[in-house]
Amino acid sequence: MRYYILTLFPEMVLSALTTSIIGKAAQKGIIGIETVNIRDFTKDRHQKVDDYPYGGGAGMVMQAQPIYDAYRSVAEQIGRRPRTVYLTPQGRTFTQAAAKELAQQEELLFLCGHYEGVDERVLEEIVTDYVSIGDYVLTGGELAAMVMVDAISRMVPGVLTNEESAFMESFEGNLLEYPQYSRPVEWNGKRVPDVLLSGDHKKVEDWRREQSILRTREFRPDLLRKAKLTIREKAVYGVNDRG
Ligand code: ADE
């Protein structure tokens, strides 16, 4: 997987994506992260990349030409037009399922907008996916692109260790994570649940499953309706298709 991130703030993106698990995966060459500074492609004498909106209104609009030329430099380098994600609150909401699907690509290009938006004509020309990371407005697309790169990279084979992926798999299926405890057995007057000290793997597994279901029912009833529960579990936890 190779990511190409078109941005006016390459340092911001690189600082987050060169550390921790994603940084390690990049060092090992499992993923590649390349930022492309849109400003490097402006033909304006003053290095401008934005201008006033036609029709008036507040703010500035990022112009088509520098973005298109930055995009073309990537497309030429890889020899095809890449899947191109534009980060916008108007896009389809990003989910784990979308992360998995995008992780199948050999390369992904992210376009990070700023100011009041981007000239519509260049979006029409290059964007394949309009994606939002949630119903709130950020000052630019960079943080959203970083969130996506992180979530997608976890799904790329080799990025997580076996242990890390096994841990993740146990939380799939639309259930929230069960609570975790480590040493000491008693801290601040609170004891670790006895079942976890019992050494009975079946009991531990059942308890964790129950905790996952209870937490999901409390915090994300919308998810619970999509979770794969047995008929017995549905009866015990009072779950039906209408919630
Ligand atoms: N740019 C601004 N807000 C955004 C959001 N919520 N998701 C993706 N890109 C954005």
mmCIF file of all heavy atoms in Angstrom, residues 21-68:
data_model
loop_
_atom_site.group_PDB
_atom_site.id
_atom_site.type_symbol
_atom_site.label_atom_id
_atom_site.label_comp_id
_atom_site.label_asym_id
_atom_site.label_seq_id
_atom_site.Cartn_x
_atom_site.Cartn_y
_atom_site.Cartn_z
ATOM 1 N N ILE A 21 3.064 2.593 15.457
ATOM 2 C CA ILE A 21 2.878 1.395 14.631
ATOM 3 C C ILE A 21 2.915 1.744 13.135
ATOM 4 O O ILE A 21 3.527 1.036 12.333
ATOM 5 C CB ILE A 21 1.530 0.706 14.977
ATOM 6 C CG1 ILE A 21 1.596 0.155 16.415
ATOM 7 C CG2 ILE A 21 1.206 -0.399 13.984
ATOM 8 C CD1 ILE A 21 0.313 -0.483 16.897
ATOM 9 N N ILE A 22 2.283 2.850 12.765
ATOM 10 C CA ILE A 22 2.245 3.242 11.348
ATOM 11 C C ILE A 22 3.656 3.631 10.888
ATOM 12 O O ILE A 22 4.095 3.267 9.793
ATOM 13 C CB ILE A 22 1.264 4.422 11.130
ATOM 14 C CG1 ILE A 22 -0.133 4.047 11.648
ATOM 15 C CG2 ILE A 22 1.201 4.838 9.668
ATOM 16 C CD1 ILE A 22 -0.730 2.791 11.071
ATOM 17 N N GLY A 23 4.376 4.358 11.736
ATOM 18 C CA GLY A 23 5.751 4.741 11.417
ATOM 19 C C GLY A 23 6.634 3.523 11.223
ATOM 20 O O GLY A 23 7.460 3.475 10.306
ATOM 21 N N LYS A 24 6.458 2.537 12.083
ATOM 22 C CA LYS A 24 7.259 1.303 11.985
ATOM 23 C C LYS A 24 6.962 0.568 10.685
ATOM 24 O O LYS A 24 7.864 0.079 10.011
ATOM 25 C CB LYS A 24 6.939 0.372 13.172
ATOM 26 C CG LYS A 24 8.050 0.351 14.208
ATOM 27 C CD LYS A 24 7.747 -0.681 15.281
ATOM 28 C CE LYS A 24 7.825 -0.051 16.660
ATOM 29 N NZ LYS A 24 6.897 -0.604 17.614
ATOM 30 N N ALA A 25 5.667 0.486 10.340
ATOM 31 C CA ALA A 25 5.265 -0.191 9.101
ATOM 32 C C ALA A 25 5.875 0.525 7.896
ATOM 33 O O ALA A 25 6.294 -0.115 6.925
ATOM 34 C CB ALA A 25 3.745 -0.237 8.989
ATOM 35 N N ALA A 26 5.947 1.843 7.964
ATOM 36 C CA ALA A 26 6.540 2.618 6.871
ATOM 37 C C ALA A 26 8.049 2.355 6.801
ATOM 38 O O ALA A 26 8.600 2.185 5.714
ATOM 39 C CB ALA A 26 6.256 4.094 7.064
ATOM 40 N N GLN A 27 8.699 2.286 7.969
ATOM 41 C CA GLN A 27 10.137 2.010 8.007
ATOM 42 C C GLN A 27 10.447 0.652 7.406
ATOM 43 O O GLN A 27 11.429 0.476 6.697
ATOM 44 C CB GLN A 27 10.616 2.022 9.453
ATOM 45 C CG GLN A 27 11.427 3.263 9.791
ATOM 46 C CD GLN A 27 11.762 3.310 11.268
ATOM 47 O OE1 GLN A 27 11.644 2.320 11.992
ATOM 48 N NE2 GLN A 27 12.182 4.478 11.719
ATOM 49 N N LYS A 28 9.570 -0.311 7.682
ATOM 50 C CA LYS A 28 9.784 -1.672 7.166
ATOM 51 C C LYS A 28 9.412 -1.783 5.695
ATOM 52 O O LYS A 28 9.627 -2.822 5.082
ATOM 53 C CB LYS A 28 8.916 -2.673 7.959
ATOM 54 C CG LYS A 28 9.444 -2.980 9.353
ATOM 55 C CD LYS A 28 8.727 -4.232 9.887
ATOM 56 C CE LYS A 28 8.271 -4.042 11.313
ATOM 57 N NZ LYS A 28 7.161 -4.920 11.690
ATOM 58 N N GLY A 29 8.776 -0.738 5.165
ATOM 59 C CA GLY A 29 8.400 -0.769 3.746
ATOM 60 C C GLY A 29 7.088 -1.490 3.467
ATOM 61 O O GLY A 29 6.762 -1.763 2.315
ATOM 62 N N ILE A 30 6.322 -1.812 4.507
ATOM 63 C CA ILE A 30 5.028 -2.484 4.302
ATOM 64 C C ILE A 30 4.030 -1.479 3.739
ATOM 65 O O ILE A 30 3.171 -1.811 2.938
ATOM 66 C CB ILE A 30 4.498 -3.084 5.624
ATOM 67 C CG1 ILE A 30 5.529 -4.030 6.217
ATOM 68 C CG2 ILE A 30 3.161 -3.794 5.399
ATOM 69 C CD1 ILE A 30 5.256 -4.419 7.646
ATOM 70 N N ILE A 31 4.134 -0.243 4.200
ATOM 71 C CA ILE A 31 3.348 0.840 3.604
ATOM 72 C C ILE A 31 4.318 1.954 3.209
ATOM 73 O O ILE A 31 5.437 2.005 3.728
ATOM 74 C CB ILE A 31 2.275 1.402 4.573
ATOM 75 C CG1 ILE A 31 2.922 1.946 5.851
ATOM 76 C CG2 ILE A 31 1.225 0.357 4.918
ATOM 77 C CD1 ILE A 31 1.979 2.729 6.739
ATOM 78 N N GLY A 32 3.869 2.799 2.299
ATOM 79 C CA GLY A 32 4.677 3.953 1.919
ATOM 80 C C GLY A 32 3.830 5.197 2.058
ATOM 81 O O GLY A 32 2.644 5.176 1.715
ATOM 82 N N ILE A 33 4.399 6.250 2.616
ATOM 83 C CA ILE A 33 3.631 7.483 2.796
ATOM 84 C C ILE A 33 4.395 8.624 2.137
ATOM 85 O O ILE A 33 5.540 8.895 2.491
ATOM 86 C CB ILE A 33 3.436 7.798 4.294
ATOM 87 C CG1 ILE A 33 2.696 6.643 4.979
ATOM 88 C CG2 ILE A 33 2.656 9.104 4.468
ATOM 89 C CD1 ILE A 33 2.724 6.710 6.487
ATOM 90 N N GLU A 34 3.754 9.219 1.131
ATOM 91 C CA GLU A 34 4.406 10.313 0.428
ATOM 92 C C GLU A 34 3.493 11.529 0.475
ATOM 93 O O GLU A 34 2.316 11.416 0.106
ATOM 94 C CB GLU A 34 4.635 9.891 -1.029
ATOM 95 C CG GLU A 34 5.795 10.583 -1.671
ATOM 96 C CD GLU A 34 6.072 10.001 -3.059
ATOM 97 O OE1 GLU A 34 6.414 8.802 -3.159
ATOM 98 O OE2 GLU A 34 5.902 10.752 -4.029
ATOM 99 N N THR A 35 4.009 12.652 0.941
ATOM 100 C CA THR A 35 3.206 13.868 0.892
ATOM 101 C C THR A 35 3.587 14.645 -0.362
ATOM 102 O O THR A 35 4.742 14.619 -0.801
ATOM 103 C CB THR A 35 3.460 14.758 2.131
ATOM 104 O OG1 THR A 35 4.853 14.965 2.264
ATOM 105 C CG2 THR A 35 2.920 14.100 3.389
ATOM 106 N N VAL A 36 2.588 15.308 -0.916
ATOM 107 C CA VAL A 36 2.820 16.143 -2.091
ATOM 108 C C VAL A 36 2.325 17.534 -1.731
ATOM 109 O O VAL A 36 1.139 17.712 -1.416
ATOM 110 C CB VAL A 36 2.045 15.596 -3.316
ATOM 111 C CG1 VAL A 36 2.291 16.475 -4.530
ATOM 112 C CG2 VAL A 36 2.431 14.146 -3.598
ATOM 113 N N ASN A 37 3.244 18.498 -1.728
ATOM 114 C CA ASN A 37 2.868 19.858 -1.356
ATOM 115 C C ASN A 37 2.221 20.550 -2.557
ATOM 116 O O ASN A 37 2.868 20.817 -3.571
ATOM 117 C CB ASN A 37 4.111 20.629 -0.893
ATOM 118 C CG ASN A 37 3.722 21.950 -0.238
ATOM 119 O OD1 ASN A 37 2.625 22.474 -0.479
ATOM 120 N ND2 ASN A 37 4.607 22.485 0.589
ATOM 121 N N ILE A 38 0.929 20.841 -2.399
ATOM 122 C CA ILE A 38 0.163 21.442 -3.504
ATOM 123 C C ILE A 38 0.795 22.759 -3.953
ATOM 124 O O ILE A 38 0.803 23.096 -5.132
ATOM 125 C CB ILE A 38 -1.310 21.629 -3.074
ATOM 126 C CG1 ILE A 38 -1.965 20.273 -2.807
ATOM 127 C CG2 ILE A 38 -2.096 22.418 -4.118
ATOM 128 C CD1 ILE A 38 -3.311 20.352 -2.084
ATOM 129 N N ARG A 39 1.365 23.476 -2.983
ATOM 130 C CA ARG A 39 1.952 24.783 -3.306
ATOM 131 C C ARG A 39 3.121 24.662 -4.300
ATOM 132 O O ARG A 39 3.390 25.575 -5.069
ATOM 133 C CB ARG A 39 2.403 25.504 -2.030
ATOM 134 C CG ARG A 39 2.502 27.013 -2.198
ATOM 135 C CD ARG A 39 2.829 27.728 -0.902
ATOM 136 N NE ARG A 39 1.801 27.621 0.112
ATOM 137 C CZ ARG A 39 0.675 28.326 0.119
ATOM 138 N NH1 ARG A 39 0.433 29.214 -0.819
ATOM 139 N NH2 ARG A 39 -0.211 28.160 1.088
ATOM 140 N N ASP A 40 3.799 23.516 -4.293
ATOM 141 C CA ASP A 40 4.913 23.313 -5.225
ATOM 142 C C ASP A 40 4.448 23.333 -6.680
ATOM 143 O O ASP A 40 5.267 23.408 -7.587
ATOM 144 C CB ASP A 40 5.604 21.962 -4.968
ATOM 145 C CG ASP A 40 6.364 21.955 -3.649
ATOM 146 O OD1 ASP A 40 6.588 23.050 -3.082
ATOM 147 O OD2 ASP A 40 6.724 20.858 -3.189
ATOM 148 N N PHE A 41 3.144 23.222 -6.900
ATOM 149 C CA PHE A 41 2.630 23.107 -8.270
ATOM 150 C C PHE A 41 1.928 24.372 -8.762
ATOM 151 O O PHE A 41 1.389 24.377 -9.865
ATOM 152 C CB PHE A 41 1.690 21.897 -8.381
ATOM 153 C CG PHE A 41 2.440 20.603 -8.243
ATOM 154 C CD1 PHE A 41 2.742 20.097 -6.992
ATOM 155 C CD2 PHE A 41 2.889 19.930 -9.367
ATOM 156 C CE1 PHE A 41 3.459 18.916 -6.858
ATOM 157 C CE2 PHE A 41 3.610 18.765 -9.250
ATOM 158 C CZ PHE A 41 3.903 18.243 -7.985
ATOM 159 N N THR A 42 1.934 25.421 -7.948
ATOM 160 C CA THR A 42 1.258 26.638 -8.396
ATOM 161 C C THR A 42 2.070 27.310 -9.502
ATOM 162 O O THR A 42 3.299 27.249 -9.513
ATOM 163 C CB THR A 42 1.038 27.625 -7.223
ATOM 164 O OG1 THR A 42 0.390 28.784 -7.745
ATOM 165 C CG2 THR A 42 2.343 28.030 -6.569
ATOM 166 N N LYS A 43 1.329 27.924 -10.427
ATOM 167 C CA LYS A 43 2.023 28.679 -11.482
ATOM 168 C C LYS A 43 1.934 30.173 -11.173
ATOM 169 O O LYS A 43 2.362 30.999 -11.962
ATOM 170 C CB LYS A 43 1.389 28.358 -12.834
ATOM 171 C CG LYS A 43 1.610 26.887 -13.220
ATOM 172 C CD LYS A 43 1.339 26.643 -14.692
ATOM 173 C CE LYS A 43 1.793 25.253 -15.089
ATOM 174 N NZ LYS A 43 0.687 24.394 -15.543
ATOM 175 N N ASP A 44 1.345 30.488 -10.012
ATOM 176 C CA ASP A 44 1.174 31.892 -9.628
ATOM 177 C C ASP A 44 2.523 32.484 -9.193
ATOM 178 O O ASP A 44 3.283 31.840 -8.471
ATOM 179 C CB ASP A 44 0.162 31.961 -8.474
ATOM 180 C CG ASP A 44 -0.104 33.391 -8.049
ATOM 181 O OD1 ASP A 44 -0.979 34.036 -8.654
ATOM 182 O OD2 ASP A 44 0.576 33.853 -7.114
ATOM 183 N N ARG A 45 2.762 33.718 -9.610
ATOM 184 C CA ARG A 45 4.029 34.390 -9.292
ATOM 185 C C ARG A 45 4.242 34.502 -7.791
ATOM 186 O O ARG A 45 5.347 34.530 -7.300
ATOM 187 C CB ARG A 45 4.023 35.809 -9.884
ATOM 188 C CG ARG A 45 4.410 35.870 -11.343
ATOM 189 C CD ARG A 45 4.673 37.292 -11.756
ATOM 190 N NE ARG A 45 3.463 38.123 -11.534
ATOM 191 C CZ ARG A 45 3.494 39.379 -11.091
ATOM 192 N NH1 ARG A 45 4.642 39.960 -10.826
ATOM 193 N NH2 ARG A 45 2.358 40.058 -10.916
ATOM 194 N N HIS A 46 3.123 34.626 -7.049
ATOM 195 C CA HIS A 46 3.236 34.822 -5.597
ATOM 196 C C HIS A 46 2.954 33.531 -4.837
ATOM 197 O O HIS A 46 2.627 33.565 -3.661
ATOM 198 C CB HIS A 46 2.289 35.936 -5.144
ATOM 199 C CG HIS A 46 2.477 37.207 -5.901
ATOM 200 N ND1 HIS A 46 3.599 37.976 -5.760
ATOM 201 C CD2 HIS A 46 1.704 37.825 -6.846
ATOM 202 C CE1 HIS A 46 3.521 39.027 -6.580
ATOM 203 N NE2 HIS A 46 2.384 38.947 -7.248
ATOM 204 N N GLN A 47 3.024 32.432 -5.530
ATOM 205 C CA GLN A 47 2.856 31.114 -4.892
ATOM 206 C C GLN A 47 1.453 30.896 -4.338
ATOM 207 O O GLN A 47 1.234 30.064 -3.465
ATOM 208 C CB GLN A 47 3.857 30.937 -3.726
ATOM 209 C CG GLN A 47 5.303 31.085 -4.121
ATOM 210 C CD GLN A 47 5.808 29.800 -4.777
ATOM 211 O OE1 GLN A 47 5.828 28.772 -4.172
ATOM 212 N NE2 GLN A 47 6.180 29.856 -5.996
ATOM 213 N N LYS A 48 0.495 31.700 -4.849
ATOM 214 C CA LYS A 48 -0.868 31.583 -4.358
ATOM 215 C C LYS A 48 -1.526 30.283 -4.825
ATOM 216 O O LYS A 48 -1.295 29.821 -5.941
ATOM 217 C CB LYS A 48 -1.706 32.758 -4.876
ATOM 218 C CG LYS A 48 -2.204 33.684 -3.765
ATOM 219 C CD LYS A 48 -2.733 34.982 -4.358
ATOM 220 C CE LYS A 48 -3.674 34.767 -5.533
ATOM 221 N NZ LYS A 48 -5.089 34.847 -5.246
ATOM 222 N N VAL A 49 -2.368 29.690 -3.973
ATOM 223 C CA VAL A 49 -3.084 28.465 -4.357
ATOM 224 C C VAL A 49 -4.591 28.630 -4.194
ATOM 225 O O VAL A 49 -5.358 27.700 -4.422
ATOM 226 C CB VAL A 49 -2.628 27.249 -3.507
ATOM 227 C CG1 VAL A 49 -1.208 26.842 -3.855
ATOM 228 C CG2 VAL A 49 -2.765 27.561 -2.019
ATOM 229 N N ASP A 50 -5.024 29.850 -3.781
ATOM 230 C CA ASP A 50 -6.456 30.075 -3.538
ATOM 231 C C ASP A 50 -6.870 31.437 -4.074
ATOM 232 O O ASP A 50 -6.028 32.285 -4.344
ATOM 233 C CB ASP A 50 -6.746 29.998 -2.029
ATOM 234 C CG ASP A 50 -5.987 31.053 -1.242
ATOM 235 O OD1 ASP A 50 -4.860 31.414 -1.655
ATOM 236 O OD2 ASP A 50 -6.509 31.541 -0.218
ATOM 237 N N ASP A 51 -8.185 31.607 -4.218
ATOM 238 C CA ASP A 51 -8.685 32.898 -4.710
ATOM 239 C C ASP A 51 -10.127 33.079 -4.219
ATOM 240 O O ASP A 51 -10.702 32.153 -3.644
ATOM 241 C CB ASP A 51 -8.608 32.936 -6.240
ATOM 242 C CG ASP A 51 -8.425 34.365 -6.765
ATOM 243 O OD1 ASP A 51 -8.892 35.318 -6.099
ATOM 244 O OD2 ASP A 51 -7.814 34.507 -7.839
ATOM 245 N N TYR A 52 -10.692 34.266 -4.493
ATOM 246 C CA TYR A 52 -12.052 34.551 -4.027
ATOM 247 C C TYR A 52 -13.083 33.691 -4.757
ATOM 248 O O TYR A 52 -12.882 33.347 -5.908
ATOM 249 C CB TYR A 52 -12.372 36.033 -4.241
ATOM 250 C CG TYR A 52 -11.499 36.921 -3.387
ATOM 251 C CD1 TYR A 52 -10.374 37.549 -3.937
ATOM 252 C CD2 TYR A 52 -11.782 37.086 -2.033
ATOM 253 C CE1 TYR A 52 -9.548 38.333 -3.141
ATOM 254 C CE2 TYR A 52 -10.953 37.868 -1.238
ATOM 255 C CZ TYR A 52 -9.836 38.487 -1.789
ATOM 256 O OH TYR A 52 -9.023 39.235 -0.991
ATOM 257 N N PRO A 53 -14.190 33.375 -4.077
ATOM 258 C CA PRO A 53 -15.215 32.571 -4.753
ATOM 259 C C PRO A 53 -16.032 33.413 -5.738
ATOM 260 O O PRO A 53 -16.416 34.536 -5.417
ATOM 261 C CB PRO A 53 -16.103 32.091 -3.594
ATOM 262 C CG PRO A 53 -15.886 33.074 -2.481
ATOM 263 C CD PRO A 53 -14.503 33.651 -2.655
ATOM 264 N N TYR A 54 -16.257 32.881 -6.930
ATOM 265 C CA TYR A 54 -17.203 33.520 -7.848
ATOM 266 C C TYR A 54 -18.565 33.544 -7.179
ATOM 267 O O TYR A 54 -18.948 32.566 -6.525
ATOM 268 C CB TYR A 54 -17.311 32.733 -9.162
ATOM 269 C CG TYR A 54 -16.189 33.015 -10.131
ATOM 270 C CD1 TYR A 54 -15.333 32.007 -10.548
ATOM 271 C CD2 TYR A 54 -16.001 34.310 -10.619
ATOM 272 C CE1 TYR A 54 -14.307 32.268 -11.444
ATOM 273 C CE2 TYR A 54 -14.966 34.585 -11.502
ATOM 274 C CZ TYR A 54 -14.126 33.570 -11.911
ATOM 275 O OH TYR A 54 -13.112 33.835 -12.782
ATOM 276 N N GLY A 55 -19.281 34.635 -7.350
ATOM 277 C CA GLY A 55 -20.601 34.753 -6.743
ATOM 278 C C GLY A 55 -20.549 35.365 -5.361
ATOM 279 O O GLY A 55 -21.582 35.597 -4.738
ATOM 280 N N GLY A 56 -19.322 35.589 -4.874
ATOM 281 C CA GLY A 56 -19.149 36.242 -3.578
ATOM 282 C C GLY A 56 -19.282 35.280 -2.422
ATOM 283 O O GLY A 56 -19.436 34.071 -2.604
ATOM 284 N N GLY A 57 -19.204 35.828 -1.226
ATOM 285 C CA GLY A 57 -19.278 34.995 -0.025
ATOM 286 C C GLY A 57 -17.963 35.000 0.717
ATOM 287 O O GLY A 57 -16.947 35.482 0.205
ATOM 288 N N ALA A 58 -18.016 34.461 1.942
ATOM 289 C CA ALA A 58 -16.846 34.500 2.812
ATOM 290 C C ALA A 58 -15.807 33.471 2.384
ATOM 291 O O ALA A 58 -16.130 32.465 1.757
ATOM 292 C CB ALA A 58 -17.271 34.231 4.246
ATOM 293 N N GLY A 59 -14.557 33.760 2.734
ATOM 294 C CA GLY A 59 -13.492 32.774 2.595
ATOM 295 C C GLY A 59 -12.929 32.662 1.192
ATOM 296 O O GLY A 59 -13.369 33.337 0.263
ATOM 297 N N MET A 60 -11.936 31.806 1.089
ATOM 298 C CA MET A 60 -11.221 31.615 -0.167
ATOM 299 C C MET A 60 -11.448 30.192 -0.650
ATOM 300 O O MET A 60 -11.777 29.309 0.134
ATOM 301 C CB MET A 60 -9.723 31.820 0.065
ATOM 302 C CG MET A 60 -9.371 33.166 0.653
ATOM 303 S SD MET A 60 -9.631 34.496 -0.536
ATOM 304 C CE MET A 60 -8.022 34.532 -1.307
ATOM 305 N N VAL A 61 -11.240 30.007 -1.933
ATOM 306 C CA VAL A 61 -11.423 28.679 -2.532
ATOM 307 C C VAL A 61 -10.085 28.209 -3.108
ATOM 308 O O VAL A 61 -9.386 28.982 -3.766
ATOM 309 C CB VAL A 61 -12.484 28.750 -3.660
ATOM 310 C CG1 VAL A 61 -12.601 27.419 -4.385
ATOM 311 C CG2 VAL A 61 -13.832 29.179 -3.096
ATOM 312 N N MET A 62 -9.725 26.983 -2.842
ATOM 313 C CA MET A 62 -8.499 26.439 -3.426
ATOM 314 C C MET A 62 -8.707 26.251 -4.915
ATOM 315 O O MET A 62 -9.706 25.680 -5.351
ATOM 316 C CB MET A 62 -8.114 25.119 -2.746
ATOM 317 C CG MET A 62 -7.514 25.351 -1.366
ATOM 318 S SD MET A 62 -7.199 23.829 -0.442
ATOM 319 C CE MET A 62 -5.827 23.142 -1.361
ATOM 320 N N GLN A 63 -7.747 26.713 -5.700
ATOM 321 C CA GLN A 63 -7.899 26.706 -7.149
ATOM 322 C C GLN A 63 -7.599 25.337 -7.760
ATOM 323 O O GLN A 63 -6.869 24.527 -7.176
ATOM 324 C CB GLN A 63 -6.983 27.768 -7.761
ATOM 325 C CG GLN A 63 -7.429 29.171 -7.409
ATOM 326 C CD GLN A 63 -6.364 30.197 -7.726
ATOM 327 O OE1 GLN A 63 -5.357 30.269 -7.041
ATOM 328 N NE2 GLN A 63 -6.591 30.954 -8.784
ATOM 329 N N ALA A 64 -8.145 25.149 -8.944
ATOM 330 C CA ALA A 64 -8.068 23.832 -9.583
ATOM 331 C C ALA A 64 -6.655 23.476 -10.072
ATOM 332 O O ALA A 64 -6.198 22.344 -9.885
ATOM 333 C CB ALA A 64 -9.048 23.767 -10.751
ATOM 334 N N GLN A 65 -5.975 24.438 -10.694
ATOM 335 C CA GLN A 65 -4.725 24.099 -11.400
ATOM 336 C C GLN A 65 -3.645 23.448 -10.536
ATOM 337 O O GLN A 65 -3.127 22.375 -10.911
ATOM 338 C CB GLN A 65 -4.190 25.362 -12.126
ATOM 339 C CG GLN A 65 -2.854 25.172 -12.818
ATOM 340 C CD GLN A 65 -1.697 25.543 -11.902
ATOM 341 O OE1 GLN A 65 -1.747 26.559 -11.215
ATOM 342 N NE2 GLN A 65 -0.657 24.704 -11.862
ATOM 343 N N PRO A 66 -3.281 24.044 -9.367
ATOM 344 C CA PRO A 66 -2.198 23.398 -8.603
ATOM 345 C C PRO A 66 -2.582 21.990 -8.124
ATOM 346 O O PRO A 66 -1.745 21.081 -8.127
ATOM 347 C CB PRO A 66 -1.987 24.329 -7.395
ATOM 348 C CG PRO A 66 -2.709 25.591 -7.702
ATOM 349 C CD PRO A 66 -3.750 25.283 -8.722
ATOM 350 N N ILE A 67 -3.855 21.818 -7.768
ATOM 351 C CA ILE A 67 -4.296 20.501 -7.289
ATOM 352 C C ILE A 67 -4.237 19.490 -8.429
ATOM 353 O O ILE A 67 -3.733 18.377 -8.280
ATOM 354 C CB ILE A 67 -5.734 20.590 -6.705
ATOM 355 C CG1 ILE A 67 -5.710 21.403 -5.421
ATOM 356 C CG2 ILE A 67 -6.317 19.192 -6.467
ATOM 357 C CD1 ILE A 67 -7.085 21.703 -4.838
ATOM 358 N N TYR A 68 -4.705 19.913 -9.605
ATOM 359 C CA TYR A 68 -4.720 18.997 -10.741
ATOM 360 C C TYR A 68 -3.300 18.593 -11.134
ATOM 361 O O TYR A 68 -3.017 17.419 -11.398
ATOM 362 C CB TYR A 68 -5.452 19.637 -11.930
ATOM 363 C CG TYR A 68 -5.722 18.653 -13.035
ATOM 364 C CD1 TYR A 68 -6.448 17.485 -12.782
ATOM 365 C CD2 TYR A 68 -5.246 18.879 -14.326
ATOM 366 C CE1 TYR A 68 -6.685 16.559 -13.791
ATOM 367 C CE2 TYR A 68 -5.488 17.965 -15.340
ATOM 368 C CZ TYR A 68 -6.204 16.806 -15.065
ATOM 369 O OH TYR A 68 -6.445 15.901 -16.072
#
